[in-house]
Amino acid sequence: MFRITHKDKRARSAILSTKSGSIQTPFFMPVATKGSVKYISSDDLKSMKNTAVISNAFVLYLRPGDSFMKKVGGIKKFMHYHGINATDSGGFQMYKDTFLIKTTHDGVHFKSPFDGTKHFVTPEKDMEVQMNIGSDIAMCLDSMPLVEHSKKRISEAVEQTTEWAKRCKIHHDKLNSDKSGKLKPSNRRQLLFGISQGGTYPDLRKKSCQQLSKIDFDGFSAGGLALGEPKQKLLQMLRIHKGIMPEDKPCYLMGLGSPIELLEAIELGADMFDSRFPTQNARRGTIFTSQGKLRLMRKEYEYDQMPLDPNCDCMVCKRYTRAFIRYQLSQQEGTGYRLATYHQLYYLTRLMEQSREAIKKKQFTRFKNKIIKAYEKADAENEKKLKDNNLKGKKKRKSISLGNKRSKK
Amino acid sequence: MFRITHKDKRARSAILSTKSGSIQTPFFMPVATKGSVKYISSDDLKSMKNTAVISNAFVLYLRPGDSFMKKVGGIKKFMHYHGINATDSGGFQMYKDTFLIKTTHDGVHFKSPFDGTKHFVTPEKDMEVQMNIGSDIAMCLDSMPLVEHSKKRISEAVEQTTEWAKRCKIHHDKLNSDKSGKLKPSNRRQLLFGISQGGTYPDLRKKSCQQLSKIDFDGFSAGGLALGEPKQKLLQMLRIHKGIMPEDKPCYLMGLGSPIELLEAIELGADMFDSRFPTQNARRGTIFTSQGKLRLMRKEYEYDQMPLDPNCDCMVCKRYTRAFIRYQLSQQEGTGYRLATYHQLYYLTRLMEQSREAIKKKQFTRFKNKIIKAYEKADAENEKKLKDNNLKGKKKRKSISLGNKRSKK
């Protein structure tokens, strides 16, 4: 069940009910591919009031195996996780040459990157895998073409995705029906989302959405995006997706994780997000803050006694300095990864909370603009510093090459 | 100040006062080489009631630099750490070919493994580095020979260590004196420990101890041990060290971290310990428990729904299964490292607490024997399982090579 509680133009806040409880939208899901968010325990997630994570059915199917997951009581018990667990079908992984052997009408042939064993997954099998894993929200098996593929290939993938979506829905309904053959109520079974494809071609995206919208999914994801295409293209595809998919179903924009893009997507009515970039960025020293992106690894922060974000009240910002976290990251220390990741996810959790609040107050656009302004300001300052440093560097090199020692004074 | 509060034969419990507060002995120090215990935050350490860690002056001198540490207010502020911080001088690192260039009478020439730069550290310089770092307990610069070195080389190292210890003490006193030139009281300055050497040669160890015992150090470490020599040799050296060093000074056996050896050393009167092995073992799946060593990576624990230690009340054992941690470790996931490390250090912290309690009750030997029995029982069971598996494996291979398919039934 998906109940919209507040609207502010196209942006909305809603309550999504699952078998593990209800969750307010919009929300961001950190990636727990293998049942853990890297360097973060489920207690950490609880302490930052995180409400959902997304795992990867395909990776878990290979190791430790979906029958393993069933045996140990499902992923939430396995992870000791309090929130909502979604699983991606693995369509995204097929995108990688390390996995994919070939896609046929029946399903996907792929090899395990762990041990080279060959596997064949049909839409039906994928539904069974996700049921065994026991996630609260499952994704259809989609066929995701490479961005550089021809329009023809992308068009074929759209058709394939629709075909598989139908098969997923039929099989998933079977798996989620009671003895009399009746589909269980949505808060007592796994939810199933369809995924639109079509790359960044408006006509193909439209076609994909039109075909999928006819199937009674619990929600609709926009897939194959946030892969490096221009932001305007991404938002254009989201507009098409939103324009066709039923308004009373959740809209999950897959792969989005940068604060500004999240806000722009929320403004267009997207409800759910996931991305591995925020945590990966954190480990590399790009930190989201109330004052925009902090490039922590820059020399200027070497001795900095400030917290990552002076306006953040997370356990990391309350206790540790930029200098400490910068040093730990530079030394590839796990503790540094943990602290930077914790802050990053705390920040995004608060950003989603504030977005919901702003929607309730019908002030979302103002809120979004305030955040964007901070990020743009920080980016401009960063760029200016870079330029100045480059100029300094050039001057220095020039004076050295001229044998002029003034620069050393 | 070191005040022995309880004795049980040779074992003792005492209170060691430092500029950061008092601490009860015996205690174990996790290794925080670069200012963080791998995968563990200072909050984690606090929550497990850890009381001390040891960092490495030599590594911190190279990066981020001791002047950096001074500038940011010293290591405890840097780490946001509540307990006692000790620093090892770096003598141990000189033991490694990656660092050492040569040792002269004056000091140590070495190269940085980070950038290849060459450095020269004298005993005086080492004292200054540790003062800048701001640790509560500093170690003398010692000359640590390789175990395989000739007795002659080890004998020379003993002399060198004594010579340097004298220079360390003189310079450290200077750095820790008030304006009138008087040494500050021990709870208002950094403490300095001497380190005995001599390998496993009783006569050399004796000589080293005799020479060092004449210097008024705040404590005496036994160095160059726990490097793979037979346990009986190690304990013999500890007996010699204890027999010569003043009874009213703390005895720090460097490098020890296995539960049984810790208890055996405590029984002989050792007060302080450190080792990187417990945390390293944890990351590799060798877990200390009330039922002995758990070899978590064995196949038999794949589905195990038990906590790491059914008798442990740490946050890891309260929440996570062996199956979960085993899978996370097998996937090299940071969360797995964190959880396994947390339990391991919690276990050792409790073991030290229980040891102090047992000494107070004059029941230490009984306590020690109970723990040893559990470890021996687990080891015997593990060995039996290994043998059985080997036998099964042999039988299986035999039947396969004979083309006998019975084993497949």
Side-chain angles (χ1 to χ4, degrees):
Chain A
M1 209 187 63
F2 184 70
R3 189 166 57 85
I4 296 167
T5 54
H6 300 84
K7 286 210 73 168
D8 182 7
K9 293 173 201 148
R10 276 179 291 182
R12 74 252 190 103
S13 179
I15 292 170
L16 173 64
S17 301
T18 76
K19 66 179 167 64
S20 291
S22 293
I23 182 171
Q24 286 188 67
T25 72
F27 61 87
F28 173 81
M29 298 184 279
V31 168
T33 306
K34 296 176 180 179
S36 73
V37 177
K38 282 189 192 302
Y39 304 98
I40 293 291
S41 67
S42 52
D43 265 8
D44 292 332
L45 292 171
K46 199 168 186 177
S47 76
M48 66 176 75
K49 294 186 183 152
N50 154 284
T51 51
V53 296
I54 184 160
S55 298
N56 191 295
F58 170 77
V59 173
L60 294 172
Y61 156 75
L62 290 173
R63 283 193 183 170
D66 56 310
S67 57
F68 169 97
M69 292 301 289
K70 192 176 180 180
K71 206 166 163 179
V72 300
I75 188 154
K76 280 196 45 176
K77 196 178 163 213
F78 183 56
M79 290 176 65
H80 192 267
Y81 179 58
H82 67 284
I84 308 294
N85 181 284
T87 39
D88 193 3
S89 59
F92 183 75
Q93 267 63 33
M94 300 312 163
Y95 169 74
K96 295 181 187 165
D97 283 346
T98 32
F99 291 94
L100 186 64
I101 298 174
K102 64 172 178 178
T103 300
T104 69
H105 183 73
D106 276 349
V108 186
H109 295 265
F110 63 91
K111 56 177 186 289
S112 163
F114 298 121
D115 57 12
T117 49
K118 288 178 182 173
H119 300 260
F120 178 55
V121 166
T122 60
E124 291 78 15
K125 171 79 182 171
D126 204 304
M127 293 299 99
E128 279 161 24
V129 166
Q130 292 187 67
M131 278 299 284
N132 285 341
I133 291 172
S135 54
D136 299 307
I137 306 173
M139 296 292 138
C140 282
L141 181 66
D142 53 341
S143 176
M144 194 172 129
L146 295 172
V147 180
E148 63 264 33
H149 274 162
S150 65
K151 192 170 175 184
K152 187 167 168 286
R153 281 275 299 270
I154 297 180
S155 174
E156 286 163 9
V158 163
E159 299 294 338
Q160 190 64 269
T161 295
T162 302
E163 206 53 49
W164 287 354
K166 288 177 190 164
R167 285 166 59 187
C168 282
K169 173 67 176 156
I170 291 168
H171 201 69
H172 191 264
D173 277 2
K174 257 187 222 164
L175 298 173
N176 283 278
S177 291
D178 59 23
K179 281 171 191 167
S180 68
K182 207 183 139 202
L183 188 64
K184 291 177 190 167
S186 65
N187 60 353
R188 281 186 43 225
R189 61 167 170 86
Q190 189 180 56
L191 303 180
L192 180 64
F193 280 33
I195 307 177
S196 77
Q197 287 292 345
T200 53
Y201 293 101
D203 53 339
L204 296 184
R205 180 68 57 175
K206 199 172 160 186
K207 194 175 173 190
S208 181
C209 291
Q210 281 168 339
Q211 291 177 350
L212 292 170
S213 65
K214 289 173 194 149
I215 309 170
D216 188 24
F217 286 119
D218 299 303
F220 293 91
S221 306
L225 295 170
L227 291 169
E229 72 281 358
K231 192 172 73 181
Q232 289 317 319
K233 276 275 173 199
L234 167 87
L235 296 177
Q236 187 193 357
M237 293 307 113
L238 176 59
R239 272 190 209 97
I240 293 171
H241 180 99
K242 279 291 300 183
I244 298 168
M245 297 307 193
E247 179 68 5
D248 61 350
K249 292 282 173 80
C251 167
Y252 168 17
L253 179 46
M254 302 180 89
L256 213 63
S258 97
I260 293 185
E261 290 178 359
L262 286 171
L263 296 178
E264 288 176 332
I266 289 171
E267 192 171 40
L268 296 177
D271 307 299
M272 298 166 57
F273 309 94
D274 80 287
S275 172
R276 69 190 166 87
F277 288 111
T279 42
Q280 199 179 66
N281 276 338
R283 298 198 297 274
R284 292 174 183 172
T286 299
I287 311 291
F288 303 150
T289 82
S290 61
Q291 304 170 332
K293 257 182 209 163
L294 175 75
R295 310 267 181 195
L296 185 61
M297 302 321 283
R298 295 235 173 116
K299 185 81 178 162
E300 65 188 287
Y301 301 115
E302 191 177 5
Y303 297 101
D304 199 326
Q305 295 297 292
M306 298 264 285
L308 292 178
D309 182 350
N311 300 315
C312 176
D313 62 350
C314 83
M315 69 104 171
V316 178
C317 289
K318 272 194 237 163
R319 289 166 179 71
Y320 302 95
T321 61
R322 292 174 179 173
F324 179 74
I325 297 169
R326 185 183 183 279
Y327 172 67
Q328 297 300 324
L329 290 180
S330 76
Q331 298 299 306
Q332 285 100 45
E333 285 286 329
T335 302
Y337 295 148
R338 172 166 142 68
L339 298 178
T341 303
Y342 188 97
H343 164 79
Q344 199 88 318
L345 293 178
Y346 187 93
Y347 173 87
L348 285 178
T349 311
R350 294 294 82 70
L351 190 72
M352 292 297 108
E353 232 172 56
Q354 291 161 355
S355 295
R356 295 193 294 266
E357 209 48 48
I359 292 169
K360 280 174 200 169
K361 291 184 185 158
K362 295 194 183 291
Q363 297 178 345
F364 183 75
T365 302
R366 196 201 296 178
F367 168 71
K368 183 202 77 168
N369 288 339
K370 199 187 81 186
I371 303 279
I372 289 182
K373 211 173 152 186
Y375 274 79
E376 284 176 349
K377 196 180 156 207
D379 287 350
E381 276 168 13
N382 273 327
E383 212 158 302
K384 190 175 173 298
K385 276 181 205 160
L386 262 187
K387 259 189 200 161
D388 290 353
N389 282 337
N390 281 344
L391 272 177
K392 269 188 211 160
K394 268 185 196 161
K395 272 190 193 161
K396 211 174 172 182
R397 279 194 297 278
K398 204 175 166 189
S399 61
I400 288 167
S401 68
L402 290 169
N404 184 333
K405 285 180 180 173
R406 266 182 304 174
S407 67
K408 286 190 181 168
K409 276 180 190 171
Chain B
M1 209 187 63
F2 183 69
R3 188 166 58 84
I4 297 168
T5 53
H6 300 85
K7 286 210 74 169
D8 182 7
K9 290 173 203 150
R10 275 179 292 182
R12 74 250 191 104
S13 179
I15 292 169
L16 173 64
S17 301
T18 76
K19 67 179 165 65
S20 291
S22 293
I23 181 171
Q24 286 188 65
T25 73
F27 61 86
F28 172 82
M29 298 185 280
V31 168
T33 304
K34 296 176 181 179
S36 74
V37 178
K38 282 190 191 304
Y39 304 97
I40 292 291
S41 67
S42 52
D43 265 8
D44 291 333
L45 292 171
K46 198 169 187 177
S47 77
M48 66 175 76
K49 294 185 184 154
N50 154 283
T51 51
V53 296
I54 185 161
S55 298
N56 191 293
F58 169 77
V59 173
L60 293 172
Y61 157 75
L62 290 174
R63 282 196 185 169
D66 55 310
S67 57
F68 169 97
M69 293 302 289
K70 192 175 179 180
K71 205 166 164 179
V72 300
I75 188 153
K76 281 197 46 178
K77 195 176 164 214
F78 184 57
M79 291 176 63
H80 193 268
Y81 179 57
H82 67 284
I84 309 292
N85 182 284
T87 39
D88 194 2
S89 59
F92 183 74
Q93 266 62 32
M94 300 311 163
Y95 169 74
K96 293 180 187 167
D97 283 344
T98 32
F99 292 94
L100 187 62
I101 297 174
K102 65 173 177 177
T103 300
T104 68
H105 183 74
D106 274 349
V108 186
H109 295 264
F110 63 90
K111 55 178 187 289
S112 163
F114 298 120
D115 57 13
T117 50
K118 287 178 184 174
H119 300 259
F120 178 55
V121 165
T122 60
E124 290 78 14
K125 172 79 182 169
D126 204 304
M127 292 301 97
E128 279 161 23
V129 166
Q130 292 186 69
M131 278 298 284
N132 284 342
I133 291 173
S135 54
D136 299 306
I137 306 173
M139 297 292 139
C140 281
L141 181 66
D142 54 341
S143 175
M144 194 171 129
L146 295 172
V147 179
E148 62 264 33
H149 276 162
S150 66
K151 192 171 175 184
K152 186 165 168 289
R153 281 277 296 271
I154 297 179
S155 173
E156 285 163 11
V158 163
E159 299 295 338
Q160 190 64 271
T161 295
T162 302
E163 205 52 49
W164 288 353
K166 288 177 191 165
R167 284 167 58 186
C168 283
K169 174 65 176 158
I170 290 169
H171 201 70
H172 192 264
D173 277 2
K174 257 187 222 165
L175 298 174
N176 283 278
S177 291
D178 58 24
K179 281 171 190 167
S180 68
K182 208 182 139 202
L183 188 64
K184 290 178 190 168
S186 65
N187 61 353
R188 282 185 42 227
R189 62 167 171 86
Q190 189 181 56
L191 303 180
L192 179 64
F193 281 31
I195 307 176
S196 76
Q197 288 292 345
T200 53
Y201 293 102
D203 52 339
L204 295 184
R205 180 68 59 176
K206 200 173 160 185
K207 194 174 171 189
S208 181
C209 291
Q210 281 168 340
Q211 292 177 350
L212 292 170
S213 66
K214 288 173 195 151
I215 309 171
D216 189 24
F217 286 119
D218 298 304
F220 293 92
S221 307
L225 295 171
L227 292 169
E229 73 281 358
K231 191 172 72 181
Q232 289 318 319
K233 277 275 174 200
L234 168 87
L235 297 177
Q236 187 194 355
M237 294 306 113
L238 175 59
R239 272 190 211 97
I240 293 171
H241 181 99
K242 280 290 301 182
I244 297 168
M245 297 308 192
E247 180 68 4
D248 62 349
K249 293 283 172 79
C251 166
Y252 168 17
L253 181 46
M254 302 179 89
L256 212 64
S258 99
I260 293 185
E261 290 177 0
L262 287 171
L263 296 178
E264 288 176 332
I266 290 171
E267 192 173 39
L268 295 178
D271 307 300
M272 298 165 57
F273 310 94
D274 79 288
S275 172
R276 68 190 168 87
F277 288 111
T279 42
Q280 198 179 67
N281 276 338
R283 297 199 298 273
R284 291 173 182 172
T286 299
I287 310 291
F288 303 150
T289 82
S290 61
Q291 304 170 333
K293 257 180 208 162
L294 175 75
R295 310 266 181 195
L296 185 62
M297 302 321 283
R298 294 234 173 115
K299 185 81 179 162
E300 65 187 286
Y301 301 115
E302 192 176 5
Y303 298 100
D304 198 325
Q305 294 297 290
M306 298 265 284
L308 292 177
D309 182 349
N311 300 315
C312 177
D313 63 350
C314 83
M315 69 103 172
V316 178
C317 289
K318 272 195 235 163
R319 289 166 179 71
Y320 302 95
T321 61
R322 291 173 180 175
F324 179 73
I325 297 169
R326 184 183 183 279
Y327 173 66
Q328 296 300 324
L329 290 181
S330 76
Q331 298 299 306
Q332 286 100 46
E333 284 285 331
T335 303
Y337 294 149
R338 173 166 141 69
L339 298 178
T341 302
Y342 188 97
H343 165 78
Q344 199 88 319
L345 293 179
Y346 188 93
Y347 174 87
L348 285 178
T349 310
R350 295 294 83 70
L351 190 73
M352 293 297 108
E353 232 171 55
Q354 291 160 356
S355 295
R356 294 194 293 265
E357 210 47 50
I359 291 168
K360 281 173 198 168
K361 290 184 186 159
K362 296 195 183 289
Q363 296 177 346
F364 184 75
T365 303
R366 196 200 295 178
F367 169 71
K368 182 201 79 168
N369 289 339
K370 198 186 82 184
I371 303 280
I372 289 181
K373 211 173 151 186
Y375 274 80
E376 284 176 349
K377 197 180 156 206
D379 287 350
E381 276 168 12
N382 274 327
E383 211 159 303
K384 192 176 172 300
K385 276 179 204 161
L386 262 188
K387 258 189 201 161
D388 290 353
N389 282 338
N390 281 343
L391 272 176
K392 269 187 210 162
K394 267 184 197 162
K395 272 188 192 162
K396 213 174 171 181
R397 279 194 297 278
K398 204 175 166 189
S399 61
I400 289 167
S401 68
L402 289 169
N404 183 335
K405 285 180 181 173
R406 265 183 302 173
S407 66
K408 287 190 180 168
K409 275 182 190 170

